[in-house]
Amino acid sequence: MGCLEKLPYEVIQRNSSFKEAREYVEKNIKEYYEVPPGYKIFDVYIIGVPPIKVGIDGDSVIFPYTKPCHGTFLVRVKEAHDEIKRLRKK
Amino acid sequence: MIEIKDHQKALLVLGCPQVPTQTAAAMYLAYKLKNTGIIPVIAANPAARMLMKYADPEKHYIDELHDLDRMIGDLVERRQNFSLCFVFVHNDSGLSYAASMNIILNGGIVIPVIFGKEIESLKEGINFDCSVISGRAEHNPKPLINAMESGIKWDV
């Protein structure tokens, strides 16, 4: 549960503040949606300071992943068709 | 002065254990809560959890130690619930956890416990209505212990 390592992810930004990760999505991703803290994407529960922005870019989702010791990572997971559908339905 | 007496248990969410104060302050808070009749429950990453486990090997003060990711999932899925939660904050991640717990606990009282070198900027980063415990404590926990003693109403 809650382990990013199980996903085929790529890191867009590492060890950033949560605000920096949010700003990256706002500036660089055309389509994004606001989700509440605790929103489940794959098997990860997103932690962050609202508003939390999750982006869609082609068949990828881009979301912040926060760990206590390493700050926030902004990650991209490709072929996320089901998660993209769920985000667009919100 | 923060009133906590009406709660049966409290969740203590720990951050990265890189700041030495955290373990001593969390242990002290657990001791004070237990003396007040409130069951302390710890949620932390593996390293922070092991520090707590071996600081209290006979479980005098802490009955439950949980994996932080698993606890977040249990709270979101309503397998666990807490009306009182302390979140230890000494970096940006701590702010994210505090803000998240405020939403996930849905009406529960969340008290950020802010410590380390940068307490003023961290306090400014709290973006929800709450009482805060804070002390400029990095190696020596005493300023944070003092803040807990003076900021919380401990009368049994």
Side-chain angles (χ1 to χ4, degrees):
Chain A
M1 174 193 293
C3 182
L4 189 63
E5 298 304 321
K6 292 174 190 162
L7 297 174
Y9 68 94
E10 89 186 50
V11 176
I12 297 171
Q13 209 174 49
R14 66 181 67 240
N15 304 113
S16 63
S17 71
F18 190 82
K19 190 179 170 202
E20 287 165 344
R22 180 200 297 137
E23 285 171 354
Y24 182 97
V25 172
E26 287 169 343
K27 282 179 189 160
N28 297 286
I29 311 295
K30 283 184 189 158
E31 183 181 2
Y32 56 77
Y33 298 89
E34 223 172 270
V35 301
Y39 181 82
K40 191 177 184 185
I41 189 159
F42 304 104
D43 66 344
V44 171
Y45 295 92
I46 296 180
I47 292 298
V49 179
I52 298 173
K53 307 280 173 74
V54 175
I56 296 174
D57 181 23
D59 70 349
S60 301
V61 285
I62 291 120
F63 60 96
Y65 184 70
T66 300
K67 296 297 280 182
C69 297
H70 302 291
T72 297
F73 293 76
L74 191 64
V75 299
R76 172 193 296 271
V77 177
K78 290 179 182 169
E79 295 181 21
H81 306 287
D82 291 347
E83 295 297 346
I84 288 171
K85 262 188 216 162
R86 227 162 44 89
L87 282 165
R88 284 180 175 151
K89 270 188 196 163
K90 273 177 62 62
Chain B
M1 186 82 69
I2 303 167
E3 284 268 9
I4 57 167
K5 66 179 180 183
D6 293 334
H7 304 272
Q8 291 185 331
K9 56 181 185 172
L11 180 64
L12 279 62
V13 174
L14 305 192
C16 177
Q18 71 188 139
V19 179
T21 286
Q22 178 172 267
T23 304
M27 188 61 72
Y28 189 79
L29 179 57
Y31 149 76
K32 293 289 290 187
L33 288 167
K34 198 154 188 176
N35 273 1
T36 310
I38 299 170
I39 299 167
V41 176
I42 305 290
N45 75 0
R49 215 164 59 240
M50 288 301 110
L51 283 163
M52 296 299 284
K53 178 179 176 180
Y54 292 109
D56 182 25
E58 294 188 352
K59 298 186 177 179
H60 290 296
Y61 307 114
I62 296 162
D63 299 316
E64 292 186 43
L65 286 162
H66 294 262
D67 175 74
L68 180 55
D69 289 338
R70 188 171 293 272
M71 176 59 81
I72 297 288
D74 287 346
L75 292 168
V76 170
E77 306 298 344
R78 304 288 177 229
R79 292 187 290 266
Q80 290 263 17
N81 191 34
F82 290 86
S83 59
L84 177 64
C85 174
F86 295 86
V87 182
F88 284 72
V89 177
H90 70 82
N91 59 13
D92 188 77
S93 294
L95 291 174
S96 286
Y97 278 94
S100 295
M101 296 308 289
N102 183 53
I103 301 290
I104 292 168
L105 291 182
N106 194 24
I109 295 168
V110 174
I111 302 171
V113 179
I114 298 177
F115 62 104
K117 281 182 186 170
E118 310 292 340
I119 60 172
E120 296 308 327
S121 61
L122 289 170
K123 276 198 269 190
E124 284 170 17
I126 297 291
N127 71 344
F128 59 96
D129 190 21
C130 62
S131 300
V132 171
I133 302 288
S134 69
R136 200 175 306 282
E138 196 178 2
H139 293 93
N140 177 359
K142 192 62 177 161
L144 189 55
I145 301 293
N146 288 345
M148 287 178 187
E149 287 288 358
S150 61
I152 298 170
K153 194 172 181 189
W154 289 111
D155 300 356
V156 179

